[in-house]
Amino acid sequence: MVSAADNSSVFEALRRPNNSGLPKYLLLANALLDGITSGYWKAGEKLPTEDELAEMTPFSLGTVQRALRNLSEQGIVVRQHGLGSFVAEKKNLRLEDPWHCRFFDDEGENFLPIYTKAIKRERAVAPGPWMKYFPQAVGSVVKIDRVINVNNEFKVFSQFYTDHRLLPALCEGPLSKLDGVNFKKLIVNESHVPITNVEHFVRAMPIVKGIAEVLDVKVNTVGIFMQAVAHMGRNACVYYQEFSIPPTHRVLGIPAEPVIGQATKLQR
């Protein structure tokens, strides 16, 4: 086990004045996440105990527990009763080459890292905008709900709709296998379905109760509601997706072409 002295460098920044405005539990969660992504703590390795973290950092035991719970809910940390907290074995939680949910960093040159977790998959039965895009596939459409963590600053709620006959790779197998998966890249590379056009529609909209609870914001908080529609050819819809985004100072970069790639510098 890594000693408390060895951990001091990981938590050094936490002893400095906090000018970020982030709550204490997120500051600690970010420090732990940085340690994990940098390889300081590796997959399967045990983290310091809650009491040890409270001693190593300027935070209370309650703050430590909330930070670990935050990382556990994202699937980054596995908490085992009586044994402690461990870095999750899976390494694919971070989504590479984000396509729709792309937020610029402070310099406006790169996109912030995002971490996705699939929380539900079911047949789409409730009426909604998705029906417009799958008029001939009602009864065959699957809905996948995901929580997208943006740089551990805020969360986005996503609902992804597709015809399970068209994309069985997304609709079969354990739900946990979809954590950190770039759906668009999977569609292109594994399902061999060509995406020739992607449309985005964005408007301000109050966040409803169920989604507000997931995003940790008040009900009816006005956020961004974005719809993304991917087409194969002119009319055939490959997938329809909705995003509920809480208020944020981050700039959302909407791609102009359906090509997965790097960020284009933000023009201020």
Side-chain angles (χ1 to χ4, degrees):
M1 178 178 169
V2 181
S3 69
D6 292 335
N7 284 312
S8 60
S9 60
V10 178
F11 303 118
E12 182 179 356
L14 298 178
R15 297 180 177 85
R16 302 169 189 163
N18 173 25
N19 299 316
S20 67
L22 292 177
K24 293 179 180 179
Y25 82 93
L26 278 184
L27 292 175
L28 177 55
N30 283 342
L32 291 168
L33 181 59
D34 287 343
I36 292 170
T37 55
S38 68
Y40 187 86
W41 290 295
K42 297 177 174 56
E45 191 168 317
K46 185 178 181 180
L47 296 175
T49 66
E50 294 176 357
D51 289 336
E52 288 171 339
L53 287 172
E55 292 178 4
M56 297 172 191
T57 68
F59 302 134
S60 67
L61 182 60
T63 297
V64 168
Q65 292 171 337
R66 189 174 181 187
L68 290 173
R69 184 165 63 249
N70 175 273
L71 295 176
S72 176
E73 290 172 350
Q74 299 177 54
I76 297 171
V77 166
V78 176
R79 305 179 75 186
Q80 299 183 20
H81 182 69
L83 296 177
S85 299
F86 299 81
V87 180
E89 291 287 354
K90 58 189 176 186
K91 300 179 181 180
N92 65 341
L93 185 66
R94 176 169 174 173
L95 189 148
E96 301 297 333
D97 297 324
W99 180 243
H100 304 293
C101 210
R102 312 189 307 172
F103 294 87
F104 282 96
D105 61 13
D106 292 334
E107 289 71 35
E109 297 182 354
N110 298 292
F111 297 129
L112 295 172
I114 67 173
Y115 306 85
T116 69
K117 184 174 182 61
I119 59 175
K120 182 188 292 186
R121 179 175 56 199
E122 60 186 4
R123 290 292 179 96
V125 293
W130 63 271
M131 299 179 71
K132 169 184 176 182
Y133 301 102
F134 298 99
Q136 307 301 323
V138 175
S140 300
V141 175
V142 169
K143 176 174 71 74
I144 302 172
D145 293 353
R146 291 190 296 173
V147 177
I148 302 170
N149 180 297
V150 182
N151 198 40
N152 218 28
E153 295 180 16
F154 60 94
K155 291 182 285 188
V156 173
F157 182 71
S158 165
Q159 293 184 304
F160 180 96
Y161 296 81
T162 190
D163 185 341
H164 78 91
R165 297 170 300 181
L166 183 64
L167 300 172
L170 289 176
C171 305
E172 301 172 358
L175 185 63
S176 61
K177 293 293 185 181
L178 299 181
D179 293 350
V181 172
N182 185 317
F183 285 6
K184 183 175 184 293
K185 182 177 287 188
L186 178 67
I187 291 167
V188 173
N189 294 343
E190 296 190 21
S191 298
H192 306 295
V193 175
I195 295 177
T196 58
N197 179 46
V198 179
E199 297 178 291
H200 292 85
F201 306 94
V202 181
R203 68 178 183 271
M205 189 171 178
I207 300 174
V208 298
K209 182 178 180 181
I211 297 177
E213 292 174 352
V214 173
L215 301 183
D216 297 324
V217 299
K218 294 181 178 179
V219 177
N220 291 327
T221 296
V222 177
I224 297 173
F225 179 70
M226 179 172 69
Q227 298 164 293
V229 188
H231 296 281
M232 175 176 57
R234 179 171 297 182
N235 299 316
C237 181
V238 179
Y239 68 80
Y240 166 75
Q241 193 165 188
E242 297 178 350
F243 300 87
S244 295
I245 305 170
T248 174
H249 72 284
R250 296 297 186 183
V251 176
L252 174 64
I254 297 178
E257 299 177 2
V259 178
I260 297 175
Q262 301 300 314
T264 300
K265 185 173 181 179
L266 174 63
Q267 301 298 314
R268 298 186 183 279

